[in-house]
Amino acid sequence: MILRYWYLLISSWPRLLELVYWPVLQVITWGFLQLYIVQNAGFFAQAGGILIGAVILWDILFRGQLGFSISFLEEMWARNMGNLMMSPLKPIEFLIALMLMSLIRLAIGVVPMLVLATYAFDFNLFSMGLPLVAFFCNLIFTGWSLGIFVSGLVLRNGLGAESIVWSVMFGLMPLACVYYPVSVLPQWLQWIAWMLPPTYVFEGMRALLIEHVFRPELMIAAASINLALFAGSFAAFIWLLNSARRNGSLLQAGE
């Protein structure tokens, strides 16, 4: 399955171009904004590239989910999902293949982004050290969990629900507090924000870049929520898959 998706990816230059285009565009846009703020605000000058760091970590989260979902949608667009589900392929094997493909897609898109951030805007993401591993793992597992869940929704409801794949992450963005602390939100929204694993990651990133302190309790909380979220998403996918089989929507992947 991984080779199947890999051959499909490398055989299409528009797909490869798309993986690089948006990350580079974001770094350029936010990078110049970062330079402007550094020149005009002492606080952000001391923050050590906080905006570019947020953009890169957000892109890891977004492309972790999108890379998973795009490989899934390739099967839906090809009307091949029914064939796969009737084969000896197990659902867990299918999901693992999609997760590994999301890592491959993520690497293709993020590597040019990191190079550009380092040499054009003097921000090295790897200067965060080992905490970066905790940030990455929590973000990628959140992306996979959302990818599994929305894929199940599309599987059950057909391509008419395809827009969920593109919109779900942007709906999460304001509550994940990517560019501002949780304290900015109203009190009732803060409770919701703290239920999302990415919120802990971005709070941890700001603590690391501004205060130069790594807060492991934030990463432990994010990992705990991610574990429950991942298990719940997998259970929901299996339930939606069985529902699609019973209702015949597995073979009717149209709008």
Side-chain angles (χ1 to χ4, degrees):
M1 291 300 295
I2 295 173
L3 287 175
R4 165 182 165 77
Y5 296 133
W6 173 249
Y7 293 147
L8 182 65
L9 179 62
I10 63 175
S11 66
S12 174
W13 67 265
R15 286 190 177 96
L16 291 172
L17 179 62
E18 183 184 10
L19 292 176
V20 176
Y21 173 76
W22 288 108
V24 169
L25 183 63
Q26 286 198 71
V27 166
I28 291 175
T29 303
W30 288 92
F32 283 117
L33 177 61
Q34 169 72 24
L35 291 178
Y36 173 78
I37 293 176
V38 166
Q39 294 169 1
N40 293 275
F43 170 76
F44 281 100
Q46 297 173 2
I50 189 171
L51 285 180
I52 295 182
V55 168
I56 295 175
L57 290 182
W58 166 255
D59 207 71
I60 290 173
L61 172 62
F62 177 68
R63 296 198 169 271
Q65 180 262 324
L66 193 62
F68 182 101
S69 301
I70 287 296
S71 295
F72 171 82
L73 287 175
E74 295 279 4
E75 300 293 354
M76 296 290 289
W77 293 330
R79 301 295 193 270
N80 193 44
M81 190 58 64
N83 298 327
L84 287 178
M85 293 298 103
M86 288 186 289
S87 72
L89 182 70
K90 298 177 181 178
I92 185 63
E93 295 171 339
F94 178 51
L95 294 178
I96 290 174
L98 294 178
M99 286 187 282
L100 292 178
M101 274 308 301
S102 79
L103 290 178
I104 295 174
R105 287 176 172 271
L106 178 64
I108 294 174
V110 169
V111 168
M113 193 180 191
L114 294 178
V115 172
L116 185 61
T118 301
Y119 293 101
F121 302 108
D122 196 27
F123 177 80
N124 183 5
L125 187 69
F126 297 103
S127 64
M128 294 184 183
L130 287 178
L132 180 61
V133 177
F135 296 159
F136 177 85
C137 290
N138 275 302
L139 291 175
I140 198 67
F141 269 95
T142 302
W144 285 345
S145 297
L146 291 174
I148 291 172
F149 179 67
V150 298
S151 295
L153 291 177
V154 175
L155 190 62
R156 176 61 182 85
N157 299 283
L159 289 175
E162 179 184 347
S163 60
I164 299 175
V165 170
W166 314 100
S167 60
V168 64
M169 196 61 72
F170 288 104
L172 187 71
M173 189 178 188
L175 294 178
C177 300
V178 179
Y179 305 114
Y180 43 81
V182 180
S183 58
V184 172
L185 300 177
Q187 187 65 40
W188 66 275
L189 274 182
Q190 292 184 26
W191 290 95
I192 301 175
W194 286 120
M195 297 171 64
L196 304 174
T199 303
Y200 295 87
V201 173
F202 291 108
E203 284 291 304
M205 179 207 68
R206 281 186 285 271
L208 189 64
L209 293 179
I210 298 175
E211 303 170 12
H212 305 289
V213 174
F214 174 57
R215 299 178 58 187
E217 72 278 6
L218 293 177
M219 297 303 100
I220 293 173
S224 301
I225 299 175
N226 265 325
L227 183 61
L229 188 64
F230 190 81
S233 297
F234 180 76
F237 180 86
I238 297 300
W239 184 84
L240 291 166
L241 172 61
N242 292 333
S243 178
R245 283 171 169 160
R246 289 193 304 269
N247 290 275
S249 58
L250 192 61
L251 299 177
Q252 299 175 359
E255 296 292 336

